[in-house]
Amino acid sequence: MGEEISIIITISLIIFISPLLSRAFRLPTITVEIILGAFAAYFAFIVEHPILELVAELGFLYLMFLAGLEVDLKKLVNISGILLRKAILYNVILFTLATAITLYFDLSKIFIVVLPLISIGLLAALKKEYGDVHWIRLSITVGLIGEIVSIVALTTVSAALEFGLNFEFYKTMILFSIFIISMLFVYKLFHNLIWWYPEIKALLMPEVDNQEQDIRVSMTIFFLMITVMLYLHLEVALGAFIAGTFITTFFEEHNKQLPHKLEHFGFGWLVPIFFIYVGSSFELDSIFHDGLVLHAVLIASAMILIRIIASSLFIKDMGWNRFYMIGLSHSMPLTLLIAVATLAYHNQSITQFYYYVFILASIIEVLVVMVAIRLLSYFVKLNDNNL
């Protein structure tokens, strides 16, 4: 009972003081939560506990759900052919550079998957901080293509590590393909249904709502998608992401306040617990392991560098003083990077040393990129004002 009390009190205090410290030290709140989580674990205020792991996993899935809320499939379908080709080429460049680095330095083949990972989960946090600016909108659109590729890669790697290249692996990949096709069918079916019967929206989410039915419907879709993914033994994060896109695609125009309500709930409670847990999962003593920090810095640098190189595709769209924002905003695949590292470590594909390297690299990326974006945004804004 003492451990539970300590964990609850510590997490409560971190959630409360993180925004205060963020404003005082001009650091992103996410960064503060991760750092405080690491120190709390170091001093044993937070220890391993199954309930904490469960709530943190829920926080991660809710973050993926919020990332899905940023994607309106109706707008994505209407994306220009030029932008779509650039987004695909962007990912091709990332995987090409990752393959070149992996082969040149004779690294484990897992790096071919790890280095190009893209997760737009933290873009929801960036949008909350910087607003609905052009570079964030473009980053979300391009990042969506990258995240789909990353989740396909994660699902493939997860199945390969768990089953090996045998019947179960191919069975999982076939199920994954069937699931994606089924989701496209469901989207089309529901689209036609609300076209003919628009009153369905009002029935599910009435304008006069004293029972918070919009939240209830959203959470029902969220947990149903998670259940389907668990049943099919597929990547659960994909289900949470799809649930978010479903809500935005079909209900945002009907209930414009819904995404904001869901964001306030997530960023005020569940999501911070996830970031605190990420910090607590890293042992500060491991920093003194020979070469660990250097390896983490090199991996983080490589991941940031290849994205900035790939983002040069968007110089014409963003200009020389902003194109790198796209690459930087995609350089925080914290959730997917930790997910891949955890899978690889549990399946003994990487050592504990590299497991800690990947965790530290993901934390370094968040720290460096969040601060870099804040500083660069300030100087770009200052330059625009002078002009």
Side-chain angles (χ1 to χ4, degrees), residues 337-380:
L337 180 53
I338 291 176
V340 171
T342 302
L343 285 169
Y345 178 58
H346 287 168
N347 288 279
Q348 299 180 334
S349 297
I350 60 173
T351 62
Q352 186 182 57
F353 174 82
Y354 271 102
Y355 174 67
Y356 284 142
V357 165
F358 283 136
I359 290 181
L360 182 57
S362 67
I363 294 173
I364 289 172
E365 284 180 314
V366 174
L367 289 171
V368 171
V369 171
M370 283 290 195
V371 173
I373 288 177
R374 173 165 292 192
L375 291 174
L376 290 170
S377 296
Y378 171 77
F379 286 118
V380 169

Side-chain angles (χ1 to χ4, degrees), residues 34 127 156 165 172 197 266 279 288 330 342 352:
I34 293 174
K127 183 179 178 182
T156 305
L165 297 178
T172 301
Y197 304 101
F288 302 104
H330 292 160
T342 302
Q352 186 182 57

Side-chain angles (χ1 to χ4, degrees), residues 8 35 74 95 97 106 137 140 164 181 213 230 238 260 264-265 284 295 302 313 321 333 364 366 383:
I8 292 171
I35 294 173
K74 294 176 183 176
F95 275 91
L97 291 174
D106 194 24
R137 290 197 300 271
I140 290 173
I181 295 171
Q213 191 169 323
L230 287 172
L238 176 62
H260 301 292
H264 292 163
F265 173 74
L284 286 178
H295 279 75
L313 286 170
N321 63 339
I364 289 172
V366 174
N383 184 58

